């Protein structure tokens, strides 16, 4: 089965940093655009960042200058480096292909930014 497993979330103070990891079950994902998505309570799930198979990134405006998406195709892993975290970054973060496939959603990893 195809599987995506997110990790690296936690509780951080405003201005802090986290590095999220997305481990894919197969290197077939290396051929696809990958994305990090997040869903805050009561909000729609939104695409935060994406990266092409060749490593070209794209970001939602609120993440520009603070977040960096990267991928290690040899390790079949996608990362999201999150710096200068804000309260509004609090959400459950998921990875998936872009556009997403419903059956690929994992359990996500929770990021809580709080004083």
């Amino acid at each position: 089965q195809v599987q995506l497993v997110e990790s690296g979330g936690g509780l951080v103070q405003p201005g802090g940093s986290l590095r999220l990891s997305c481990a894919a079950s197969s290197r077939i994902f290396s051929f696809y655009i990958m994305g990090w998505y997040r869903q805050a309570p009561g909000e729609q799930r939104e695409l935060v960042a994406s990266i092409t198979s060749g490593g070209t990134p794209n970001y939602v405006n609120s993440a520009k200058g603070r977040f960096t998406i990267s991928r290690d195709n040899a390790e079949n892993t996608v990362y999201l480096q999150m710096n200068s975290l804000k309260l509004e970054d609090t959400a459950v973060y998921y990875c998936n292909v872009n556009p997403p496939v419903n059956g690929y959603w994992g359990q996500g990893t929770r990021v809580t930014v709080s004083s």
Side-chain angles (χ1 to χ4, degrees):
Q1 292 180 333
V2 296
Q3 187 175 3
L4 297 168
V5 180
E6 303 91 344
S7 62
L11 173 64
V12 296
Q13 294 184 337
S17 298
L18 284 173
R19 190 192 191 211
L20 308 184
S21 297
C22 170
S25 61
S26 171
R27 284 187 169 81
I28 190 66
F29 289 100
S30 298
F31 295 95
Y32 293 87
I33 299 173
M34 296 295 296
W36 279 100
Y37 304 77
R38 68 185 178 190
Q39 187 166 25
E43 301 291 331
Q44 296 282 351
R45 191 169 299 181
E46 68 168 339
L47 178 66
V48 179
S50 64
I51 185 168
T52 68
S53 60
T56 301
N58 202 2
Y59 303 94
V60 68
N61 284 337
S62 62
K64 291 179 180 177
R66 300 189 300 123
F67 293 1
T68 302
I69 188 171
S70 62
R71 67 195 303 166
D72 186 338
N73 288 334
E75 297 295 328
N76 205 25
T77 304
V78 184
Y79 303 97
L80 185 66
Q81 179 66 46
M82 309 166 66
N83 299 326
S84 302
L85 284 163
K86 304 175 180 179
L87 297 179
E88 53 264 41
D89 294 318
T90 295
V92 178
Y93 285 71
Y94 304 85
C95 62
N96 208 323
V97 292
N98 181 28
V101 172
N102 283 339
Y104 291 177
W105 296 115
Q107 68 178 17
T109 185
R110 186 180 302 274
V111 172
T112 303
V113 184
S114 176
S115 299

